[in-house]
Amino acid sequence: MRKKIATIISALLLIFITAPPLSGCATREVSYDRNAYPFDTTRVATVRIEMLDKDWAFCMEHPFEEQYVPADFWFDGELVPDVGVRTKGNSSLGQAYGWSSPRMPLCVDFNLLNRSRSFHGVKKVFLNNGWSDPTLIREILAYDIFASIGHPAPRATLIDLWANDTHLGVYTMVEVIDTSFLRRYFADGSGNLYKPELMVARLDWTEEEAYESFYPEGTPEPEQQDPALYLNIGGAPLIDLLQALDMEDTVALYKDLPPLEGNFNRGLPPYTMPSNRIESMMLKTNENSADHSALFKLLDVLNNEPDETFHREIEKVLDVDQSLKFIAASALTVHLDNYIGAGHNSYLYEENGVFTPLVWD
């Protein structure tokens, strides 16, 4: 069985690499150079993040709050002032903290404190520490493999990172999948972008189960901030802006919640389970006017459509060509943290009722 699967994957990759693009694909060809500045992979740029010492100390002492602090971002000699910086990640963050290492993965949001600002067209980047990759190049190579067969993939490059006077060493700088990314690859770019979490990412559920609580009856759900604080205000949730500006106390809805706990000996950060499946889909765009009807249609076809009509109906809700590329390249790169494995690190983008899986992390 394994030999048969390997043969199928090899054949798919051969077809995708040698054949011309198929018609009807939801994505569009892009003309920009993946290695263009600032993602030039022929060099390692020096990046410096400068912030108040107390803010850097807060990030190191409370990494799992993933709270933005204001900072300046230097890319070689180019300054981008007043950006938002926070820690990010799961096992990579938990392991760094567990080993008392300052080499924590970071997020830099150029758009957080100024809606009109970007960094060469990019609104946000992740600075990944490559914690489980001794070569520090696997992420860049994997994204290039996906891109080489025509699948939308983030650009990435190596940088030498400093935070204030702390030399953190070599990191991977990756552009985040957001509206800027989507507009380069899709005809519109204004559709629903989901980042499903583990309990729902296999898409083996339907609308009838979407709002069922994950918590047993009678079990109190963990206390959380008021949903109104997560309204998207100019490109970021209101709570992120308030915390970055140290203005949480100015809003009556804000509550001081107890810190989350994790198992640092196993490299596991704290985790709060969403209330239901639709929350676990983690909608990243159009949050203020969420419409999940296209998602429910996709789930219905995947889980309920009879075999004799499935091949016709699935093409109405899923970009099959891009999905096959995604599966083949994921298998080739042994990306078992996404849909083909654990079902965690990948995105699902919908435009005009048609979904496309997107590679991540």
Side-chain angles (χ1 to χ4, degrees):
M1 182 65 177
R2 290 182 178 177
K3 290 183 179 179
K4 183 178 180 181
I5 293 173
T7 301
I8 293 172
I9 290 170
S10 299
L12 284 172
L13 282 171
L14 181 62
I15 292 170
F16 293 142
I17 292 172
T18 59
L22 298 175
S23 60
C25 183
T27 54
R28 64 183 180 186
E29 225 175 297
V30 292
S31 58
Y32 70 87
D33 181 2
R34 286 185 59 81
N35 292 320
Y37 184 89
F39 294 97
D40 179 3
T41 56
T42 65
R43 60 190 290 273
V44 178
T46 298
V47 171
R48 294 181 178 272
I49 296 174
E50 298 180 356
M51 64 184 77
L52 295 176
D53 288 338
K54 69 177 183 66
D55 287 336
W56 178 243
F58 175 87
C59 291
M60 294 297 98
E61 294 167 9
H62 306 280
F64 299 112
E65 294 191 22
E66 298 191 349
Q67 178 177 317
Y68 281 105
V69 296
D72 289 337
F73 178 89
W74 289 87
F75 189 89
D76 280 344
E78 180 180 356
L79 169 64
V80 185
D82 301 324
V83 304
V85 175
R86 64 171 174 85
T87 50
K88 47 77 63 177
N90 289 304
S91 57
S92 58
L93 179 60
Q95 292 175 22
Y97 183 77
W99 284 90
S100 300
S101 171
R103 276 182 52 84
M104 297 185 189
L106 301 172
C107 170
V108 180
D109 192 329
F110 304 103
N111 196 233
L112 180 72
L113 303 176
N114 185 339
R115 285 191 64 187
S116 64
R117 178 178 290 131
S118 68
F119 179 54
H120 296 274
V122 177
K123 293 182 179 179
K124 184 185 295 185
V125 293
F126 279 179
L127 308 181
N128 295 333
N129 60 6
W131 190 264
S132 61
D133 176 14
T135 72
L136 298 176
I137 62 172
R138 292 174 183 168
E139 186 170 19
I140 295 174
L141 291 177
Y143 285 139
D144 283 348
I145 288 172
F146 277 86
S148 71
I149 60 173
H151 185 79
R155 293 170 293 172
T157 190
L158 294 178
I159 60 167
D160 185 29
L161 182 62
W162 290 75
N164 290 354
D165 294 327
T166 301
H167 185 209
L168 299 177
V170 175
Y171 274 58
T172 303
M173 184 177 77
V174 184
E175 67 172 328
V176 171
I177 294 180
D178 57 12
T179 53
S180 296
F181 176 92
L182 296 173
R183 287 177 186 134
R184 285 199 299 274
Y185 280 105
F186 294 87
D188 186 347
S190 63
N192 282 353
L193 177 68
Y194 296 93
K195 189 178 185 297
E197 288 300 324
L198 290 170
M199 60 282 294
V200 299
R202 301 306 299 273
L203 305 179
D204 53 355
W205 50 282
T206 61
E207 181 178 2
E208 288 71 25
E209 304 166 277
Y211 298 98
E212 293 178 358
S213 176
F214 285 141
Y215 294 89
E217 188 174 350
T219 302
E221 296 185 12
E223 188 178 11
Q224 299 182 29
Q225 298 290 355
D226 192 291
L229 290 173
Y230 293 92
L231 288 174
N232 192 310
I233 307 294
L238 173 59
I239 191 171
D240 285 353
L241 291 168
L242 291 172
Q243 291 177 334
L245 298 171
D246 198 20
M247 296 177 61
E248 306 98 308
D249 294 340
T250 65
V251 177
L253 292 176
Y254 184 85
K255 296 177 286 189
D256 288 319
L257 300 179
L260 299 174
E261 297 181 358
N263 188 337
F264 307 129
N265 292 328
R266 296 181 57 199
L268 298 176
Y271 178 72
T272 300
M273 186 169 67
S275 299
N276 53 48
R277 289 175 177 82
I278 204 64
E279 283 188 15
S280 298
M281 285 299 294
M282 302 293 289
L283 181 64
K284 298 295 184 180
T285 57
N286 306 313
E287 306 98 307
N288 296 349
S289 55
D291 178 359
H292 304 292
S293 56
L295 173 65
F296 295 146
K297 175 62 176 175
L298 170 69
L299 294 170
D300 183 56
V301 172
L302 284 175
N303 295 288
N304 296 327
E305 191 66 31
D307 291 347
E308 55 270 20
T309 55
F310 181 82
H311 66 286
R312 291 196 303 270
E313 295 303 313
I314 192 62
E315 291 188 344
K316 298 177 183 178
V317 294
L318 182 70
D319 187 328
V320 176
D321 296 332
Q322 286 294 345
S323 298
L324 290 174
K325 292 179 181 181
F326 174 87
I327 292 170
S330 295
L332 177 71
T333 57
V334 199
H335 189 351
L336 300 180
D337 202 26
N338 72 11
Y339 178 78
I340 72 169
H344 171 54
N345 265 320
S346 58
Y347 283 86
L348 194 62
Y349 177 63
E350 173 266 326
E351 189 167 279
N352 298 322
V354 178
F355 283 82
T356 304
L358 298 173
V359 62
W360 181 244
D361 200 17

